[in-house]
């Protein structure tokens, strides 16, 4: 083989370096597996000669069932403050790592109406309260139209207490591990009526999706009457659906009268 020109060799080397090459190839092949085995044998021999016992197999780490742990934590909460502390201490939901705040609840704890939304958005994540953005402002106006208010007659929470990245839909495993906290939340508040807003809430409390078909039809969830409704965020995108939302609010108002 003709000897390569020095300039050509230099250009070829520079090209290889630019492509990411960081090691020279030896003239003879190297058996890396054999070299690694020999290195392990040398370490073992040194450890034996120095009287240091070799480490045994790494013990298997027991897998934690996040749903079972959530059930235990939720069951141990004796009041709303205890439930908030239990949620804050739950470490198995990855959403917690990317959220700014735990969004627990807002409104009157002794209210007859408990409203369950889906998950916090940007504004809710910043303020640590549910329904405080544009959708929340619309919700307040909707409630006021039938004589309700989060100040004294409505208690509000979400299925998820932490904001999903980019407001994506919650994943099934996220919903599953947080349902025990929601169920305990409902039991502690003990409202007369549940309002289920949005598909995620319907999935969590009714085991069904398709809120546009479910809305306005009274169901039972957590042992009490439950009314699925369109989420205010949907109403902002689809103003024509406000007529259906108004009909649902009137149905809610009528149901409260029958339960007095």
């Amino acid at each position: 083989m003709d000897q390569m020109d020095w300039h050509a060799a230099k250009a070829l080397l520079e090209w290889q370096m630019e492509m990411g090459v960081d090691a020279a190839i030896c003239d003879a092949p190297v058996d890396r597996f054999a070299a690694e085995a020999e290195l392990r044998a040398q370490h073992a021999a040194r450890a034996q000669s120095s009287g240091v016992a070799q480490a045994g197999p790494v013990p298997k780490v027991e897998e934690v069932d996040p749903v079972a742990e959530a059930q235990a934590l939720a069951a141990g909460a004796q009041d709303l403050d205890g439930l908030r502390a239990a949620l804050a201490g739950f470490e198995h939901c990855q959403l917690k790592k990317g959220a700014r705040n735990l969004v627990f609840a807002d409104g009157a704890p002794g209210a007859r109406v408990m409203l369950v939304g889906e998950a916090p958005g940007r504004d809710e994540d910043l303020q640590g309260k549910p329904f405080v953005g544009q959708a929340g402002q619309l919700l307040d106006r909707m409630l006021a139209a039938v004589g309700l208010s989060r100040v004294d007659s409505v208690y509000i929470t979400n299925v998820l207490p932490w904001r999903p990245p980019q407001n994506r839909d919650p994943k099934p495993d996220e919903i599953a591990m947080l349902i025990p906290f929601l169920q305990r939340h409902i039991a502690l508040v003990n409202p007369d009526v549940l309002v289920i807003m949005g598909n995620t809430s319907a999935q969590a409390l009714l085991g069904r999706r398709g809120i546009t078909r479910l809305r306005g039809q009274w169901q039972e969830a957590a042992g009490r009457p439950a009314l699925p409704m369109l989420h205010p965020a949907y109403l902002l995108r689809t103003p024509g659906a406000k007529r259906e939302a108004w009909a649902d609010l009137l149905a809610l108002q009528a149901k409260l009268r029958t339960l007095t």
Side-chain angles (χ1 to χ4, degrees), residues 149-166:
S149 166
R150 72 171 79 196
V151 174
D152 54 19
S153 54
V154 178
Y155 184 84
I156 304 173
T157 190
N158 284 314
V159 175
L160 271 62
W162 296 291
R163 180 193 181 194
Q166 307 302 317

Side-chain angles (χ1 to χ4, degrees), residues 42-56:
Q42 291 174 358
H43 284 311
R46 283 198 295 269
Q48 188 174 7
S49 63
S50 63
V52 178
Q54 295 186 44

Side-chain angles (χ1 to χ4, degrees), residues 8-252:
K10 180 174 181 293
L12 178 60
L13 179 60
E14 291 174 346
W15 178 81
Q16 290 175 332
M17 292 175 65
E18 187 176 343
M19 292 297 102
V21 175
D22 56 4
I25 300 176
C26 302
D27 294 334
V30 177
D31 187 343
R32 302 292 180 186
F33 296 102
E36 184 178 354
E38 183 180 354
L39 184 61
R40 285 200 301 268
Q42 291 174 358
H43 284 311
R46 283 198 295 269
Q48 188 174 7
S49 63
S50 63
V52 178
Q54 295 186 44
V58 178
K60 184 178 180 180
V61 179
E62 288 189 19
E63 293 186 6
V64 177
D65 182 350
V67 176
E69 183 162 331
Q71 290 171 341
L73 287 171
Q78 300 303 308
D79 52 29
L80 292 175
D81 288 338
L83 185 63
R84 179 193 286 269
L87 258 176
F90 186 68
E91 300 295 339
H92 300 293
C93 184
Q94 295 300 310
L95 295 177
K96 180 179 180 180
K97 297 180 179 179
R100 291 180 174 85
N101 285 298
L102 168 71
V103 181
F104 183 68
D106 193 21
R112 298 181 64 201
V113 178
M114 183 172 181
L115 189 151
V116 180
E118 298 183 324
R122 178 180 177 277
D123 293 321
E124 289 77 12
D125 184 38
L126 289 172
Q127 297 187 39
K129 291 183 178 181
F131 285 93
V132 294
Q134 286 187 335
Q137 295 167 15
L138 175 58
L139 174 64
D140 288 341
R141 295 195 296 271
M142 291 167 60
L143 294 173
V146 289
L148 297 173
S149 166
R150 72 171 79 196
V151 174
D152 54 19
S153 54
V154 178
Y155 184 84
I156 304 173
T157 190
N158 284 314
V159 175
L160 271 62
W162 296 291
R163 180 193 181 194
Q166 307 302 317
N167 291 344
R168 65 160 171 76
D169 289 340
K171 298 178 181 178
D173 63 320
E174 294 166 346
I175 296 174
M177 71 177 69
L178 292 167
I179 283 179
F181 294 106
L182 176 60
Q183 292 172 333
R184 184 59 178 158
H185 208 156
I186 294 170
L188 289 171
V189 175
N190 194 27
D192 292 339
V193 173
L194 286 174
V195 174
I196 300 173
M197 283 195 156
N199 265 322
T200 298
S201 309
Q203 179 66 49
L205 292 171
L206 302 175
R208 300 164 62 188
R209 294 180 69 85
I211 194 65
T212 55
R213 296 189 303 273
L214 291 170
R215 58 137 296 271
Q217 303 176 41
W218 283 100
Q219 312 280 337
E220 183 174 314
R224 64 205 73 227
L227 180 64
M229 288 186 61
L230 299 172
H231 197 284
Y234 176 82
L235 299 177
L236 289 173
R237 299 191 303 268
T238 316
K242 289 181 179 180
R243 180 172 57 182
E244 286 82 0
W246 174 242
D248 296 342
L249 288 169
L250 293 177
L252 172 61

